[in-house]
Amino acid sequence: MTRGTGRGGGSAAPRSVDVARLAGVSQKTVSRVFNDEQYVSADVRQRVLAAAEELGYRLNNAARALASGRTRSIGVVTLGTALYGPATLLMGVERVVRDTGYALRVVNTMEGDPAGIAGAVDSLLDQGVDGIVISEPIDEEGDGGDISARLDVPVLVIGAPSPFTASTVLAAGGGADRMARAATEHLLDLGHVTVHHLAGPQRWYAARDRLVGWRSALTEHGKDVPPVVQGDWSAASGYTAGRELASHPEVTAVFAANDDMAIGLIRALTEAGRRVPEDVSVVGFDDIPVAGYVTPPLTTVRQPFDAVAQEGLKRLVHSIENPQADPLPASDPPVDLIVRASTAPPPPRKPPGRGRRGNSHLPKGGSPTPR
């Protein structure tokens, strides 16, 4: 049989009635299979899918939208940035949405626009999306109250508090504080007396969470909490911070809020004669693709972007398709510390006063006194 010609001959696209005839089932059963409804046996489902594959049948989403009152689309509000974290998370969301059979509609916001989220959500609601994903990592101090009344679709917020209220608000992607705590405790377990922190910009929720995790780990272990050095996520800002930290000999361990800043930090420490990890241990965050190939290979926390997208979208689709049911429970993302060669025990501590005698050992003639 020629793919896509249908059972009735000619060049017309196959219809659900053609699939039903070939599979030996009713047209209603075909509809149930493609709507993923219950009460269809595995054998019948397989026959319907095989018939659809043989005929080249594709579900008419437009017709299904008219019948169900849904557009089979999910909107995503995301910050327009090429930074590794937000960009990778968006790619994960795109993959999962595509696999669920929904269409994806993305609206980018711009940093510095407090009305960005509200405007983006308004645009998506006007397009009739069935659910919305908010992947907006920055606190713009905007007011979502003006759109809350219109939010009659489920909303998934990733890695941030919800900027507005809705009948169904789901959260995903938390736990950065636990990951930061694990990074800090790794350095403490190696024997460092404290850990310095190279933080990200504090308008970012992720930077705040990582700072909280670092500080809580030090406090709970009774360690001193050093002053925070702040960067802007870039390797250049890490380099600048590294030049500052390298001038303080008491610094033996640094937790950087992302890998790019950690890499810049290591470059500055090395140029200043502070060896990594012999003199200073460094831990990053994200596990970017090059993290294992820099010198030395970077110890870091791997972010579970795909797992967050997978679970979050599963819960969102469930709420879309089962509006009367309770939301699926959430689970904490795993903490995955990748230990490489940029961390080690601290250097031996010199006895007080050692190396400070200077010329006290030199006699008037300038030659060392024998010892």
Side-chain angles (χ1 to χ4, degrees), residues 86-100:
T88 304
L89 182 58
L90 178 59
M91 287 191 295
V93 169
E94 288 177 331
R95 284 192 295 268
V96 176
V97 171
R98 184 170 61 245
D99 291 344
T100 63

Side-chain angles (χ1 to χ4, degrees), residues 14-99:
R15 300 166 301 165
S16 61
V17 65
D18 300 317
V19 176
R21 187 179 299 114
L22 181 59
V25 299
S26 68
Q27 194 171 354
K28 178 62 175 176
T29 298
V30 173
S31 176
R32 284 175 175 161
V33 169
F34 280 96
N35 284 314
D36 201 24
E37 296 179 11
Q38 299 178 350
Y39 313 117
V40 179
S41 69
D43 175 66
V44 169
R45 187 180 300 275
Q46 184 58 41
R47 280 170 30 213
V48 170
L49 294 175
E53 174 69 19
E54 181 177 343
L55 293 173
Y57 171 77
R58 296 189 65 180
L59 186 65
N60 187 330
N61 281 333
R64 182 162 70 173
L66 288 173
S68 66
R70 298 202 302 264
T71 62
R72 298 288 297 181
S73 64
I74 291 174
V76 179
V77 178
T78 186
L79 182 69
T81 177
L83 286 171
Y84 178 77
T88 304
L89 182 58
L90 178 59
M91 287 191 295
V93 169
E94 288 177 331
R95 284 192 295 268
V96 176
V97 171
R98 184 170 61 245
D99 291 344

Side-chain angles (χ1 to χ4, degrees), residues 110-118 140-144:
M110 298 301 294
E111 187 172 353
D113 180 8
I117 296 180
E140 298 287 8
E141 297 183 352
D143 181 10

Side-chain angles (χ1 to χ4, degrees), residues 349-358 361 371:
R349 303 183 69 181
K350 295 180 180 180
R354 181 72 179 269
R356 296 181 178 273
R357 297 179 187 177
H361 295 296
R371 288 198 266 176

